Amino acid sequence: MSEVLTIVRLRWALTWATMKKSSWQTVGFIISLILVLGAVVSAWSASWNLGPQLAADGATLEVARAILLDAMSALTVFIVIIQLMVIGEGSTLNPQRFALFGIPDRKLQAGLLCAGLVGLPAICGFLCFASLAALYRGLGPVMVLTAVISALIAVVTMMSISKMVLSLATTLANSQRAQNVLYLVVFLLFLSMCYAPQIIAPSGPSGHLEFAQIEPLAEILSFTPLAAAFQLPFDLATGAWLFALLRLVILGLTCWLCFAVSTWCLRHARLSVGHTAAQVKAHGLGIFTRMPDSPSGAVSARMAIYLRRDPRQLLYFLLPIIFLIVFSFQAGQMPEMVWVAVYMGAVMLSMFFANDLAYDGPGIHMQVMAGLPGKEDRRGRVRLYLLVTSVYFILECIIATFISGYWHDANHLIDALVITCTVGGVLMAGIGLAQVLSCLLIYPVASIDKPFSSPQGRPVTQGLFPFVQMLGNIFAMLPTLIAWFILVINVPDSPLMWLLAPIALVNGALVLLGGLNWGGKLLDQRQLKIVSTLDRYASL
């Protein structure tokens, strides 16, 4: 038990130590705390206001129960998927850091689980779920007391399932192909969750979800670990003690199974340390032969290899496709809204380019030791990014033209061409701005060997720094926005709207050239600081 308590204390000791060392971490923690307080206050306020309605109407209570069970089940799956896609396994209490202490696997896993339960997300979840007690206050003290207890059980269950899935993903997906397949499966699950309501809703008479559609699903989910904890207050209030006991058994077995699987993953990782991977035989110079025979060409080839083999970067290049699919389904009577997805995809890729140095690994170290000029590095990256994104978004714009129906007549084809050129300008401006910001604002990323891990400080900085790139992209395209306002907003159906195409391209090209030159100078000035920062992030 002492080992478990020590790990719990260590979790917060490391958090306070990190905040004392980094002012950004302190700011991020304060912002997270404000968001947590806002979520808790909102949950309790909503529950308090809706409570009298449930007590007055039994039919409303049944509808609320069905919605609650379905929503909490979706929330549990969503938490697991977001944990895999974004947050990952925290490196602050990485199990590998305890390898030399001889802590038994079961005690180590128990300590890691308890450390997660006293973290800010778990505390926020418990306080929000406990607000259901205010919702049930007019239905008797049994439901109020059970709501608080079930909130704790729900948090433990969600944390156990998340830990198990992360452990399995980290242990089993130990090859590049397995990691890529797992990423793809996670994205498909996430996409399915986003579209489930749109797929089910049209079958109802009103075009919306009906109670008759969600109630059977809620009954099934109430006997699964996803929603069983939230059904307990209703069972005890109605005297269904047998069902309550059955659901407690289901939740207990789930937590035990998750703990056992996570412990097995710990043991497997400990026993498989040092196993060498299969040797890969090289064949020639590969993509290096397709790039210019120059220092910048070598940088382009190296970055192309990284983009092709690094599973961590798959997320960002799948996002434009996901946006296109989502907006295609949700456009409804406004198919032209699919063009918004193309813009969003361009902005999201630019946000990824603004932190590309964090994915370089030893590549940037070799460049610094070789004395490569910063402008050559920037030129090599820009060449590859322009090549990849140009082909990518030209294909996306062609698909969007057919989805939006702009291919029917000449006027709409001109509109599609203008939008395509504008997207090209946004991409060039974003890539140019990224060459500057990648030398100034770098945040830690997961290790390529453990793509589902999350270095200390990553969630906070990843939530803040990309917005600098997003806002900067808007200011960089300000001339195009002004031209759009003059040509389109003030003069609807203006015959001069085609002028937006050359204006956007020139605007983006100028920002790209300026960012390339400025970024090269910044890299020369800050290369030692950048290497030091990357080394510190690698040690997290």
Side-chain angles (χ1 to χ4, degrees), residues 268-293:
H268 181 274
R270 176 170 52 82
L271 296 179
S272 61
V273 171
H275 289 187
T276 57
Q279 295 289 330
V280 179
K281 188 176 181 180
H283 298 279
L285 294 178
I287 198 170
F288 282 88
T289 60
R290 300 183 179 91
M291 291 295 176
D293 189 10

Side-chain angles (χ1 to χ4, degrees), residues 116-194:
L117 291 173
V118 298
L120 201 59
I123 294 174
C124 174
F126 170 72
L127 293 177
C128 289
F129 294 155
S131 67
L132 293 173
L135 187 68
Y136 304 147
R137 68 184 187 276
L139 303 173
V142 175
M143 288 196 71
V144 173
L145 179 60
T146 311
V148 178
I149 298 174
S150 64
L152 179 61
I153 296 174
V155 171
V156 173
T157 304
M158 290 180 179
M159 182 65 68
S160 300
I161 294 174
S162 297
K163 291 283 186 183
M164 180 192 68
V165 173
L166 274 174
S167 299
L168 286 173
T170 306
T171 302
L172 301 181
N174 53 4
S175 66
Q176 178 189 343
R177 179 174 298 178
Q179 290 166 359
N180 291 341
V181 170
L182 184 57
Y183 265 104
L184 182 59
V185 171
V186 170
F187 277 123
L188 290 177
L189 286 175
F190 180 74
L191 205 59
S192 301
M193 283 188 59
C194 292

Side-chain angles (χ1 to χ4, degrees), residues 117-458:
L117 291 173
V118 298
L120 201 59
I123 294 174
C124 174
F126 170 72
L127 293 177
C128 289
F129 294 155
S131 67
L132 293 173
L135 187 68
Y136 304 147
R137 68 184 187 276
L139 303 173
V142 175
M143 288 196 71
V144 173
L145 179 60
T146 311
V148 178
I149 298 174
S150 64
L152 179 61
I153 296 174
V155 171
V156 173
T157 304
M158 290 180 179
M159 182 65 68
S160 300
I161 294 174
S162 297
K163 291 283 186 183
M164 180 192 68
V165 173
L166 274 174
S167 299
L168 286 173
T170 306
T171 302
L172 301 181
N174 53 4
S175 66
Q176 178 189 343
R177 179 174 298 178
Q179 290 166 359
N180 291 341
V181 170
L182 184 57
Y183 265 104
L184 182 59
V185 171
V186 170
F187 277 123
L188 290 177
L189 286 175
F190 180 74
L191 205 59
S192 301
M193 283 188 59
C194 292
Y195 284 112
Q198 284 80 7
I199 294 173
I200 299 174
S203 60
S206 63
H208 301 284
L209 286 173
E210 302 286 342
F211 176 69
Q213 293 175 285
I214 64 175
E215 199 272 338
L217 179 61
E219 290 296 333
I220 296 173
L221 292 173
S222 66
F223 287 96
T224 67
L226 303 177
F230 299 97
Q231 176 63 27
L232 289 176
F234 297 95
D235 288 340
L236 296 181
T238 56
W241 300 97
L242 184 59
F243 285 123
L245 180 61
L246 177 60
R247 290 185 174 92
L248 284 174
V249 171
I250 292 173
L251 292 169
L253 289 176
T254 300
C255 293
W256 174 82
L257 178 63
C258 293
F259 183 83
V261 172
S262 300
T263 305
W264 175 84
C265 291
L266 273 180
R267 181 175 180 276
H268 181 274
R270 176 170 52 82
L271 296 179
S272 61
V273 171
H275 289 187
T276 57
Q279 295 289 330
V280 179
K281 188 176 181 180
H283 298 279
L285 294 178
I287 198 170
F288 282 88
T289 60
R290 300 183 179 91
M291 291 295 176
D293 189 10
S294 64
S296 65
V299 173
S300 299
R302 179 174 65 84
M303 296 304 299
I305 294 173
Y306 283 5
L307 290 178
R308 186 177 63 183
R309 296 183 178 179
D310 192 347
R312 300 171 298 175
Q313 303 181 38
L314 180 64
L315 164 66
Y316 299 96
F317 283 89
L318 283 179
L319 281 177
I321 300 176
I322 293 175
F323 289 151
L324 190 64
I325 296 174
V326 169
F327 277 80
S328 298
F329 278 97
Q330 293 184 341
Q333 301 299 320
M334 300 178 63
E336 61 273 9
M337 289 297 294
V338 74
W339 290 106
V340 178
V342 182
Y343 280 109
M344 290 177 60
V347 173
M348 292 301 294
L349 271 185
S350 300
M351 291 165 60
F352 158 67
F353 296 148
N355 194 45
D356 58 353
L357 286 177
Y359 295 91
D360 262 16
I364 188 66
H365 294 71
M366 295 175 60
Q367 290 181 191
V368 172
M369 289 187 292
L372 181 71
K375 194 171 182 179
E376 292 294 325
D377 174 85
R378 303 289 94 177
R379 185 180 290 118
R381 294 174 189 271
V382 167
R383 177 190 293 115
L384 178 70
Y385 293 156
L386 283 178
L387 178 63
V388 173
T389 56
S390 297
V391 176
Y392 197 168
F393 279 93
I394 286 175
L395 292 175
E396 272 218 336
C397 289
I398 292 174
I399 296 173
T401 301
F402 282 94
I403 294 175
S404 61
Y406 277 22
W407 59 278
H408 285 298
D409 57 79
N411 290 333
H412 281 99
L413 281 175
I414 294 175
D415 293 343
L417 181 60
V418 170
I419 295 174
T420 302
C421 293
T422 308
V423 171
V426 171
L427 268 175
M428 287 192 290
I431 293 173
L433 185 63
Q435 305 313 303
V436 177
L437 293 180
S438 63
C439 300
L440 299 174
L441 302 176
I442 306 175
Y443 54 87
V445 297
S447 166
I448 191 171
D449 297 323
K450 295 174 70 65
F452 299 104
S453 63
S454 181
Q456 188 176 3
R458 177 193 176 195

